[in-house]
Amino acid sequence: MSTTKRCYYETLEVERTADEPSLKAAFRKLAMKWHPDRNPGDATSETRFKEINEAYEVLKDGDKRAAYDRYGHAAFEQGGAGGPGFGAGFASSFSDIFEDLFGMAGQRGGRGTGRERGADLRYNMEITLEDAFVGKTAQIEIPVSVTCEDCSGIGAKAGTKPKTCSMCGGAGRVRQAQGFFTLERTCPGCQGRGQMIEDPCPTCSGAGRIERERTLSVNIPQGVEDGTRIRLAGEGEAGLRGGPPGDLYIFLSLANHEFFQRDGADLHCRVPISMVAAALGGEIEVPTIDKGKSKVKVPSGTQSGRRFRIAAKGMPVLRSRQMGDMYVQVVVETPQNLTKRQQELLAEFEKLSSGATQPEAAGFFTKVKDFFGTRGAAS
Ligand SMILES: [Zn+2]
Ligand SMILES: [Zn+2]
C-alpha cells in the first residue's frame, strides 16, 4: 500500500522545505477545490480530498512531519511510529475540514482541554425507484457513541471529581528540554485534559461516552438520485469530553428496477409485443411508476424498437414540481415454437406478401441486386 501512496509534499504541491503558513495556504486552496460538497457524487475528488487531509494532518504536526521526513509513509503504518488509529478515514477528514475551512475551531475548545469533536458517520442506504418517486421517511438504526448520562461525559464516578494532573499541573502540556531546544508537547499523563480521573464512571469506564443504537428518521425527498447525499448535522458520534458531536452522512443508492430504467428524470420501459399486434396495430397497456396504467396506441405497421412518449409519467425533479416523461419502446417478438397449422398459415401469408407489405426488405434486396449488377458490368 505504501508503495502506491503519493508523497505528502507532492499531494499538497509544496516544497519539502515549506514552512507552516505556506503549508496551510496550500492545504486550504486544495481542500476548497476538492471538497466533496463542491463536487457532489465525484469519487475522484473525495479521494483527493482525503489524501490532502491526510497529508496536511501529518505535515502540520512537527513530530509527525519529522517522522515522515525520516521514514516516509512507513512511519504511520499499523504498528509503526504513528500507531494504529492514525490515517485519514472518511470521518477524520470531514471533521477537520469543517473546522479549518468554516471557522468552527472555537467549538473544539481551547488547546489542551482535551475536548474533541465527534467523528462523522457514513450510512449507506439502498432505496427502490418507487421510494425515490414518492419520497419517504425512513427509520434507520445506527450504532453511535453518545455522551454518558451518568457522568455527563466527564468520565468520573458520580460524586467524585477529576483531580488536577500532577504531571502538567493542569496545563495539559509539558515542556521538555532537549539540548538547546525546549519542546512543548501534549501531556502524556492526562492526554492533554489537564485532569486525571481516579474513580472512573462504571457506566462508561471513564470514556465519557457509551455505545448505543439510535433510531433516526430520515426524510428522503421525492426525486432523489443514485449517489444523493443527505447530511444530518450533529447526528454523528458524540464529542470527546464535552466536545460537539460529528455529522451523519447518508449516501443513497438506487436499486435496479424490474422494468424501468432511469435516465435523469425520464423513465424508459421496453415492452414486447407480438408480430401480429405490431402489424395490425392496437392499444397496449403499460405500467407506470405511480402504480397506475397508461394506454399506448400502437399504429398498424409499427416496427420493432419504436418509442412512444407518455408525458409527465417519469420521475419528479428534485425540489421542483416538474416531472420527467416515460418512454415506451416496443420490441416485436418473432413467433417461436409454431404448430404445423401456424406454419402453414405463415407460409401462405408469405406467398401473398409483396414489396408493399415488406417495403424495407424489398428495397434492400433490390439494392443488393443492383450492387452485383453494376460490379458485373464494370469487370
Ligand atoms: Zn460515564
Ligand atoms: Zn497532565
Side-chain angles (χ1 to χ4, degrees):
M1 189 181 146
S2 60
T3 46
T4 57
K5 220 167 171 175
R6 274 176 67 183
C7 163
Y8 285 148
Y9 291 100
E10 271 172 33
T11 302
L12 288 179
E13 299 170 15
V14 291
E15 298 289 334
R16 293 187 81 89
T17 51
D19 58 9
E20 243 194 352
S22 41
L23 269 178
K24 188 162 188 159
F27 166 71
R28 276 176 172 260
K29 195 185 95 197
L30 291 170
M32 288 294 250
K33 182 175 166 196
W34 296 103
H35 194 279
D37 279 355
R38 296 190 159 211
N39 308 278
D42 180 0
T44 322
S45 61
E46 200 173 290
T47 312
R48 283 298 301 271
F49 182 71
K50 281 184 203 161
E51 287 171 359
I52 293 158
N53 254 283
E54 188 183 326
Y56 184 62
E57 274 296 314
V58 170
L59 298 185
K60 76 174 180 187
D61 182 308
D63 291 343
K64 285 181 188 164
R65 184 174 177 176
Y68 176 72
D69 284 346
R70 217 167 150 184
Y71 304 108
H73 291 299
F76 309 108
E77 274 161 10
Q78 294 277 321
F86 179 74
F90 173 82
S92 62
S93 59
F94 270 94
S95 56
D96 251 275
I97 196 72
F98 280 110
E99 178 189 319
D100 258 278
L101 294 183
F102 308 119
M104 286 166 67
Q107 287 195 20
R108 188 174 263 198
R111 289 226 176 266
T113 63
R115 291 177 66 198
E116 221 171 90
R117 184 178 179 274
D120 291 330
L121 294 174
R122 173 182 177 143
Y123 186 94
N124 296 325
M125 187 192 283
E126 193 182 68
I127 61 167
T128 63
L129 191 66
E130 289 93 326
D131 288 340
F133 177 77
V134 290
K136 71 167 188 177
T137 306
Q139 304 287 329
I140 58 167
E141 297 241 310
I142 45 166
V144 284
S145 57
V146 296
T147 303
C148 172
E149 282 171 10
D150 291 352
C151 63
S152 315
I154 294 161
K157 193 175 170 183
T160 71
K161 272 189 181 167
K163 292 218 162 75
T164 302
C165 172
S166 54
M167 272 181 89
C168 61
R173 298 187 70 78
V174 287
R175 283 160 176 271
Q176 275 177 341
Q178 267 187 9
F180 297 107
F181 303 102
T182 303
L183 285 179
E184 199 188 80
R185 56 176 71 223
T186 304
C187 171
C190 61
Q191 281 82 43
R193 276 173 272 186
Q195 292 178 322
M196 300 282 272
I197 293 160
E198 291 192 327
D199 286 314
C201 162
T203 313
C204 64
S205 318
R209 339 187 257 190
I210 47 170
E211 295 290 324
R212 269 247 183 92
E213 284 269 299
R214 191 157 50 162
T215 307
L216 282 174
S217 287
V218 185
N219 182 34
I220 296 164
Q222 287 189 333
V224 287
E225 293 190 34
D226 195 50
T228 299
R229 208 176 69 182
I230 298 171
R231 177 182 170 206
L232 299 182
E235 300 290 0
E237 290 206 346
L240 269 180
R241 293 172 285 277
D247 298 331
L248 171 66
Y249 288 85
I250 293 168
F251 283 67
L252 295 177
S253 60
L254 243 64
N256 285 331
H257 195 274
E258 269 183 295
F259 40 76
F260 292 121
Q261 282 86 46
R262 186 178 186 175
D263 176 21
D266 295 333
L267 288 177
H268 295 262
C269 180
R270 273 164 63 99
V271 179
I273 60 170
S274 74
M275 183 187 78
V276 176
L280 300 180
E283 223 172 32
I284 55 169
E285 215 173 41
V286 293
T288 48
I289 186 68
D290 57 7
K291 302 257 162 98
K293 285 171 184 169
S294 273
K295 285 190 170 136
V296 177
K297 226 176 124 86
V298 177
S300 59
T302 291
Q303 300 300 329
S304 189
R306 183 161 169 190
R307 291 201 307 170
F308 299 90
R309 188 173 76 106
I310 308 174
K313 283 290 179 188
M315 297 292 286
V317 180
L318 194 62
R319 286 183 210 92
S320 97
R321 284 165 185 265
Q322 284 174 302
M323 295 293 284
D325 300 327
M326 175 171 161
Y327 289 91
V328 174
Q329 185 180 39
V330 295
V331 184
V332 176
E333 188 177 25
T334 306
Q336 307 167 69
N337 311 313
L338 300 174
T339 64
K340 192 104 206 264
R341 177 79 183 121
Q342 286 170 321
Q343 288 178 31
E344 285 166 11
L345 284 170
L346 283 181
E348 197 182 332
F349 172 79
E350 183 70 0
K351 258 184 234 159
L352 297 171
S353 296
S354 64
T357 50
Q358 312 286 153
E360 196 177 334
F364 178 74
F365 287 112
T366 306
K367 278 182 209 150
V368 171
K369 234 168 141 182
D370 290 352
F371 171 71
F372 285 121
T374 46
R375 237 185 39 174
S379 60

